[in-house]
Amino acid sequence: MPFYEKGSAGKADINIVTTGTTSDNRHGSNDVHSDKFYSNTNDFEQSSETHDGRSKLIHRFVDSFKRAQDKSPSNDDIEDGTTSLVTENHFKKRMKSRHIVLMTLGTGIGTGLLVANASGLAKAGPAPLVIAYIMVSFVAYFMIQAAGEMAVTYPTLPGNYNSYMSFFISKPYAFATVWLSSIQWLTVLPLELITSSLTVKYWNDSINGDVFVVIFYVFLLFIHFFGVKAYGETEFIFNSCKILMIAGFIIFSIVVNCGGAGNDGYIGAKYWRTPGSFTTDSSIDRFKGVCYILVTGYFSYGGTELFVLSVNEQENPRKSTPIAAKQSVYRILVIYLLTMILIGFNVPYDSDQLMGSNGPGGASNHASPYVLAAAIHGVKVVPHIINAVILISVVSVANSALYAAPRLMCSLAAQGYAPKFLSYIDREGRPLFALMTCSLFGVIGFAAASKKEEEVFTWLAAIAGLAELFTWSGIFISHIRFRQAMKFQGRDMNELGYKAITGVYGSYYGVFFNFLVFFAQFWVALVPMGSHTPNAESFFQSYLAFPIFFTFYFGYMLYNKDFTILNKLENIDIDFHRRIYDPEFIKQEEEENKIKLKNSSFWVKIYYWWC
């Protein structure tokens, strides 16, 4: 038997040879040879094992791109006290509660909040900025509650909130809304890549913007072809940085405003008096300013609903979703409303450095209001730190776009609204062909090298902002119709694992307010800020999503001869993919949690109350 063969037999052969020769050699020279034999054997075995390990790793990597195998449906569930009527999907459940909570708090903190608000501040003033965000914040919270209830009820439904509309509203509405939402996220990817180049120009405007687009584009592709676990961990890090920056910005802004830093001393409400809280003295133009910022608010809150889209990949949606919905209040109050108020106090609306203003220097001389809150007051280092985190935030939103868009397209294909090949999900849970298709749209980001990059930014943002109105309206109407169907079919509401705190009335208010915003935005789009005559270019820049939606809506109706406006309540299959929760089990669990909390320390009670 050769000496290099693995196993005990091979080693026995070597020992026999060495034992026969060492009896005449007191210095053990043959023992040295024996050690060499053993060394050569071990080296070869290690080399062989390393080669085998690499081969297996490569094989597993290649094999992971094959289509996921179907599993037989089961009524068993990961949680006690539940029954899932249809639960199988091919997405990997690798999202943990910490991922979902940070996604809810931080996802969407990007271009809309950190950059696009500069234009609203410059054209309308700080008062409309705060008023509009307060109004949109109520709707955002109602949407989170409605979407959270539906997500816990239908945790395995492919497409999640995009599929709700097919069941509870109508197929034409679902087709139009989901396609518009897909286009929205397809455009957000290049939009954020362009924004990244605009952000870098604060430091260096001599390097071609496409250099940075390539770097971030390749980085994002690597994350998403690696799998959902990589997305979850990177978003956890990105969102942590964003939230820490917002916390630091709040403290810093208060210090600057009180005169503790910078060259301007005590500021207080100086900029609300001079140049003023509004950019105009006309009452109608002041109202128009609020209307102008409303859609920017929806754009800023865009992505809030993504925690629902990830429910297929959550380990325990009944626990993580309510926590995320509860903590969204802090995002609304602190991250959005408080920062808007502080920006209004520390940045004058007539600054020629605001992005979207008519100041000199073009994109290279324009910056985010968050950066200007430090820079215009003579603070040297902080603007660079804020700009760096803004860059991280922009990349984070692009990361979310590359997560959302493929799953939306996969949902479209699963519902028969898109080519079937887009429904392909590989063994790692990646919607592979949809991901490859969406990646191609990132190429639009190379417009960063153009002198018209701010104009491209405006057109891409035009689709993204208004599309949120259609998506949120779809979620609200689906929630209303779901509650109506449950009541009509005599189902027990206690079977729900989570019930929206705002109830069905929050959804009614959301639909009503969204319709008002559609009309308000039509007026602002047709007759833009600072003008009294209609402007076609301005109209399509602000209202582009509207004709796209109705093209899809009526196109589907005519092509499929399906003129359904609302599905009949008796025809809605509310049990399809529904997870039914045992009311007694939930009640028992709540009682146990109350007893456990009662016996906990004071700090644990404080944490539970806040989180």
Side-chain angles (χ1 to χ4, degrees):
M1 182 179 291
F3 76 92
Y4 52 79
E5 187 171 328
K6 296 181 183 180
S8 58
K11 291 183 179 180
D13 289 343
I14 296 172
N15 287 331
I16 291 170
V17 174
T18 55
T19 303
T21 56
T22 53
S23 59
D24 295 327
N25 192 332
R26 296 178 182 178
H27 300 287
S29 60
N30 281 309
D31 287 340
V32 175
H33 290 296
S34 175
D35 290 340
K36 290 181 179 180
F37 278 125
Y38 277 119
S39 177
N40 290 338
T41 302
N42 291 335
D43 289 345
F44 187 88
E45 288 178 352
Q46 291 175 2
S47 175
S48 178
E49 289 174 359
T50 302
H51 178 73
D52 291 342
R54 290 175 180 172
S55 298
K56 290 178 180 178
L57 183 64
I58 294 172
H59 177 74
R60 284 201 304 269
F61 177 74
V62 174
D63 196 55
S64 71
F65 290 98
K66 293 180 179 179
R67 183 183 289 273
Q69 297 176 349
D70 291 326
K71 299 177 182 179
S72 58
S74 171
N75 286 338
D76 297 330
D77 208 286
I78 58 172
E79 298 172 12
D80 294 331
T82 65
T83 302
S84 299
L85 301 180
V86 182
T87 60
E88 290 302 324
N89 61 65
H90 299 304
F91 290 110
K92 298 290 184 179
K93 295 185 179 295
R94 291 177 178 172
M95 288 281 193
K96 302 182 183 297
S97 291
R98 62 184 176 90
H99 295 143
I100 306 307
V101 170
L102 263 294
M103 282 175 63
T104 306
L105 291 174
T107 299
I109 302 177
T111 301
L113 180 68
L114 304 178
V115 180
N117 278 321
S119 177
L121 179 61
K123 294 180 179 179
L129 197 65
V130 174
I131 294 169
Y133 266 85
I134 289 174
M135 297 170 75
V136 176
S137 295
F138 279 103
V139 183
Y141 182 69
F142 296 155
M143 184 278 298
I144 291 169
Q145 289 295 326
E149 178 181 306
M150 300 285 285
V152 176
T153 304
Y154 297 97
T156 59
L157 183 65
N160 303 106
Y161 63 84
N162 300 290
S163 299
Y164 304 159
M165 302 171 204
S166 290
F167 301 134
F168 299 111
I169 305 177
S170 69
K171 288 186 176 181
Y173 187 93
F175 178 82
T177 304
V178 181
W179 262 113
L180 183 61
S181 183
S182 298
I183 293 172
Q184 171 200 355
W185 286 107
L186 286 173
T187 56
V188 165
L189 176 59
L191 173 67
E192 301 299 331
L193 291 175
I194 291 174
T195 307
S196 69
S197 70
L198 291 171
T199 307
V200 171
K201 285 182 178 180
Y202 179 77
W203 294 305
N204 190 315
D205 61 348
S206 61
I207 301 176
N208 191 306
D210 285 350
V211 173
F212 303 104
V213 171
V214 169
I215 293 171
F216 298 129
Y217 183 56
V218 173
F219 172 68
L220 292 171
L221 290 181
F222 174 79
I223 290 173
H224 287 273
F225 279 99
F226 192 86
V228 69
K229 188 175 182 180
Y231 167 75
E233 294 301 335
T234 52
E235 276 303 287
F236 181 81
I237 295 170
F238 288 159
N239 288 325
S240 298
C241 292
K242 290 190 281 187
I243 291 168
L244 288 173
M245 187 276 283
I246 292 294
F249 174 80
I250 290 169
I251 297 170
F252 170 77
S253 295
I254 294 172
V255 172
V256 168
N257 190 266
C258 295
N263 304 327
D264 297 331
Y266 176 74
I267 300 171
K270 171 184 174 182
Y271 296 136
W272 282 65
R273 295 189 299 268
T274 306
S277 54
F278 293 90
T279 58
T280 178
D281 295 328
S282 169
S283 299
I284 193 71
D285 286 337
R286 288 182 174 185
F287 178 68
K288 184 185 286 188
V290 175
C291 296
Y292 174 78
I293 296 176
L294 283 174
V295 171
T296 305
Y298 278 89
F299 178 40
S300 299
Y301 276 109
T304 307
E305 70 279 1
L306 287 187
F307 81 96
V308 181
L309 192 63
S310 67
V311 74
N312 275 331
E313 293 156 300
Q314 295 177 23
E315 290 183 345
N316 194 339
R318 191 170 74 84
K319 291 184 178 180
S320 59
T321 301
I323 292 173
K326 181 180 179 181
Q327 294 184 351
S328 64
V329 176
Y330 310 134
R331 172 184 178 178
I332 292 169
L333 293 178
V334 178
I335 296 176
Y336 287 91
L337 295 183
L338 184 55
T339 58
M340 288 300 102
I341 292 170
L342 292 172
I343 283 174
F345 277 118
N346 291 339
V347 180
Y349 71 75
D350 60 351
S351 172
D352 60 2
Q353 298 179 54
L354 274 171
M355 189 172 293
S357 70
N358 297 321
S364 62
N365 193 44
H366 293 166
S368 162
Y370 286 80
V371 174
L372 294 181
I376 63 177
H377 299 296
V379 181
K380 299 298 182 184
V381 179
V382 175
H384 298 283
I385 297 174
I386 294 175
N387 203 58
V389 180
I390 288 175
L391 184 60
I392 292 173
S393 303
V394 167
V395 175
S396 172
V397 177
N399 193 30
S400 298
L402 203 51
Y403 173 82
R407 283 156 180 79
L408 289 170
M409 298 195 76
C410 187
S411 169
L412 282 165
Q415 297 176 67
Y417 298 152
K420 194 67 178 176
F421 77 93
L422 292 174
S423 66
Y424 183 99
I425 300 174
D426 65 21
R427 295 180 180 180
E428 278 297 308
R430 293 170 296 226
L432 190 61
F433 292 150
L435 179 59
M436 294 169 65
T437 303
C438 296
S439 300
L440 295 176
F441 280 80
V443 177
I444 301 174
F446 290 102
S450 168
K451 294 180 180 179
K452 299 285 187 179
E453 63 176 336
E454 284 197 11
E455 190 174 327
V456 175
F457 174 91
T458 302
W459 279 100
L460 291 174
I463 298 176
L466 204 59
E468 284 296 326
L469 274 167
F470 287 103
T471 301
W472 289 15
S473 297
I475 292 173
F476 285 134
I477 298 172
S478 296
H479 182 234
I480 294 169
R481 299 285 292 170
F482 166 69
R483 287 291 191 99
Q484 290 176 343
M486 288 283 288
K487 184 178 180 180
F488 182 85
Q489 298 182 21
R491 303 304 175 90
D492 187 0
M493 292 298 297
N494 292 321
E495 293 177 351
L496 304 182
Y498 175 73
K499 285 182 277 190
I501 296 173
T502 54
V504 72
Y505 297 105
S507 295
Y508 276 115
Y509 174 83
V511 173
F512 171 73
F513 186 81
N514 285 353
F515 274 110
L516 293 181
V517 174
F518 276 121
F519 289 115
Q521 183 62 17
F522 180 85
W523 173 42
V524 174
L526 189 64
V527 185
M529 291 291 297
S531 174
H532 298 284
T533 57
N535 186 308
E537 183 179 356
S538 170
F539 176 80
F540 285 106
Q541 281 184 343
S542 302
Y543 223 63
L544 185 59
F546 201 83
I548 292 175
F549 173 84
F550 280 102
T551 299
F552 283 128
Y553 184 75
F554 291 113
Y556 183 90
M557 279 187 168
L558 294 172
Y559 183 80
N560 292 282
K561 295 181 174 58
D562 182 354
F563 300 97
T564 305
I565 304 298
L566 284 175
N567 295 328
K568 294 181 179 179
L569 293 177
E570 60 267 26
N571 294 335
I572 296 176
D573 184 5
I574 58 175
D575 289 332
F576 184 63
H577 278 271
R578 184 162 75 100
R579 182 170 292 177
I580 301 174
Y581 296 85
D582 183 359
E584 293 299 323
F585 174 81
I586 293 176
K587 186 177 180 180
Q588 179 184 349
E589 189 178 52
E590 289 175 351
E591 291 297 327
E592 291 175 355
N593 289 335
K594 287 179 181 179
I595 295 172
K596 184 178 178 181
L597 182 65
K598 186 178 181 180
N599 297 325
S600 300
S601 65
F602 172 77
W603 296 110
V604 172
K605 292 177 182 178
I606 291 294
Y607 174 82
Y608 180 83
W609 189 82
W610 282 99
C611 303

